[in-house]
Amino acid sequence: MNGNEKTKQEELREAWIESLLVTTTKPNDDAERIARAMEQIREDSDAPHSVDAVQTQTRSLRWWTLAIAASFLLVLLFMVDSGGTSGKAMAAVERSLNAAAELMTRKYLLQVEYRPAFGGARTIDNQLYVQGKDRFALQHPGVLPGTSFWLGHDGVDSWVLPAIGPVLKGDNTVLGRWLQSREELDTPFLHITTLLTRMMSRGYQLETLSDEEIVISNGLAVECQHVRAKRMNAEQSDGPDTIDLWASVESGMAVRLIARWELAEGEIGRQSVVLTFQQDEPSLEEEWFTAEAHYEGPRVIIRVDAQSTAEQQR
């Protein structure tokens, strides 16, 4: 075998291995790449060339190594697929999580459907603004017509701004306590990154569904990849039973997220949280995610955090 033939052989083997690696990370992709590489290797192997016994033994050893590597990769592929979470679904959620971490201000319609104590079902529409993985501001309609209250996180502190009264600031304790007093918002799953992170947690199984078009507020139809996360054991977590993600095929951005809880007969609480992308808000800066951006005039500010609460209880 001359130098050119040997180089060609090595290139074909590398192409075959690369095809196997790509297939393990994208198990739903076509296997044509592997077939083409295998066919080229067979054709080249059938070509007449002189080799000595040492070269034959070396080549056999190399092929055994490749065969073992291929078997390992195929077993890994089977394990991933048999577990129900495909590499394609996981990659879609990871891509969407990376898009959500971008320092861009986006506006979402957040709809919370809950079952109150007096029966029936009620849906509340909220406006949610997000910037990166931490900052968010949510506007919730107040009890009186034309009023609202705000809550959010500015990257350092969580805060709650009621329609009247003092502003509450502190760690996540302040948000947790406030949400517990509001049955229509009593859920931690109010942020894009929170839901996406939960989809990738150990208690959920991912599956890829058929792509769909989602029409957003300006009438634009966005081609989206649809991924569903199902909770595998209802006794392991208090999270949603299912989470559906529709992510833009072009950018990976979460266009719609729906979290659902399966309530028992007569059980009260939230039934679903629906997040639908509305528009980019490039004019809104970091200040928009502070409490001070949403009121005028003097307000009393009260700090509430886990440490101060523990000291008060002593």
Side-chain angles (χ1 to χ4, degrees):
M1 180 186 299
N2 58 36
N4 291 334
E5 290 177 338
K6 185 175 181 180
T7 300
K8 183 179 179 181
Q9 280 282 85
E10 295 298 330
E11 290 176 351
L12 291 174
R13 292 191 185 100
E14 290 174 2
W16 181 51
I17 295 174
E18 181 181 1
S19 297
L20 287 173
L21 291 172
V22 170
T23 305
T24 59
T25 57
K26 298 181 179 180
N28 291 331
D29 284 355
D30 203 318
E32 290 182 358
R33 291 187 301 272
I34 299 176
R36 287 196 299 267
M38 286 291 293
E39 184 62 28
Q40 287 179 299
I41 292 172
R42 291 193 196 99
E43 291 176 358
D44 193 73
S45 298
D46 292 338
H49 47 265
S50 60
V51 294
D52 56 24
V54 175
Q55 288 176 320
T56 301
Q57 183 178 4
T58 302
R59 185 168 66 251
S60 299
L61 180 59
R62 185 176 298 150
W63 274 104
W64 272 108
T65 303
L66 291 174
I68 293 172
S71 300
F72 173 78
L73 292 173
L74 291 174
V75 169
L76 178 62
L77 171 59
F78 174 79
M79 291 174 62
V80 171
D81 279 345
S82 62
T85 295
S86 72
K88 185 177 181 181
M90 182 67 75
V93 179
E94 288 180 347
R95 186 178 181 221
S96 190
L97 191 57
N98 289 334
E102 296 173 352
L103 291 180
M104 298 178 60
T105 304
R106 299 184 175 110
K107 180 180 179 181
Y108 284 81
L109 171 64
L110 186 150
Q111 298 171 295
V112 179
E113 181 182 7
Y114 72 100
R115 185 186 296 170
F118 52 81
R122 187 183 178 193
T123 301
I124 302 295
D125 290 351
N126 309 268
Q127 301 300 322
L128 175 67
Y129 301 84
V130 297
Q131 186 186 77
K133 63 180 182 178
D134 294 322
R135 295 188 184 92
F136 76 94
L138 184 146
Q139 184 182 21
H140 181 78
V143 177
L144 299 177
T147 64
S148 63
F149 67 80
W150 290 78
L151 56 89
H153 192 277
D154 59 16
V156 178
D157 286 328
S158 295
W159 51 268
V160 174
L161 174 64
I164 57 174
V167 180
L168 305 179
K169 288 187 177 183
D171 56 21
N172 289 333
T173 302
V174 65
L175 275 183
R177 288 185 172 183
W178 182 268
L179 293 175
Q180 287 175 3
S181 66
R182 304 279 174 170
E183 61 179 4
E184 70 274 19
L185 287 178
D186 186 14
T187 174
F189 301 99
L190 299 177
H191 197 296
I192 303 294
T193 55
T194 306
L195 283 169
L196 293 175
T197 302
R198 179 54 66 95
M199 290 182 74
M200 299 175 64
S201 64
R202 292 181 58 187
Y204 285 83
Q205 175 179 297
L206 295 177
E207 62 175 327
T208 302
L209 304 178
S210 300
D211 290 358
E212 297 181 33
E213 281 191 349
I214 300 295
V215 179
I216 59 178
S217 59
N218 61 3
L220 178 66
V222 181
E223 184 70 20
C224 293
Q225 185 177 3
H226 186 188
V227 177
R228 175 171 294 162
K230 291 183 179 180
R231 194 170 64 173
M232 293 185 290
N233 189 337
E235 299 179 355
Q236 289 181 346
S237 170
D238 62 349
D241 292 290
T242 61
I243 305 173
D244 284 81
L245 163 68
W246 288 265
S248 168
V249 172
E250 180 179 354
S251 67
M253 181 190 70
V255 176
R256 179 172 293 168
L257 276 161
I258 301 180
R260 295 184 177 90
W261 289 261
E262 297 177 3
L263 300 183
E265 185 70 26
E267 184 180 1
I268 64 173
R270 74 279 199 230
Q271 293 178 293
S272 67
V273 172
V274 182
L275 284 156
T276 305
F277 174 75
Q278 300 292 287
Q279 62 192 38
D280 290 325
E281 295 284 0
S283 62
L284 299 180
E285 304 293 340
E286 292 182 8
E287 289 74 19
W288 181 256
F289 299 93
T290 65
E292 288 74 13
H294 305 286
Y295 69 88
E296 297 179 354
R299 283 277 190 118
V300 175
I301 297 177
I302 300 177
R303 288 205 62 86
V304 180
D305 53 45
Q307 182 176 357
S308 61
T309 301
E311 291 175 352
Q312 292 174 6
Q313 293 176 344
R314 289 177 183 174

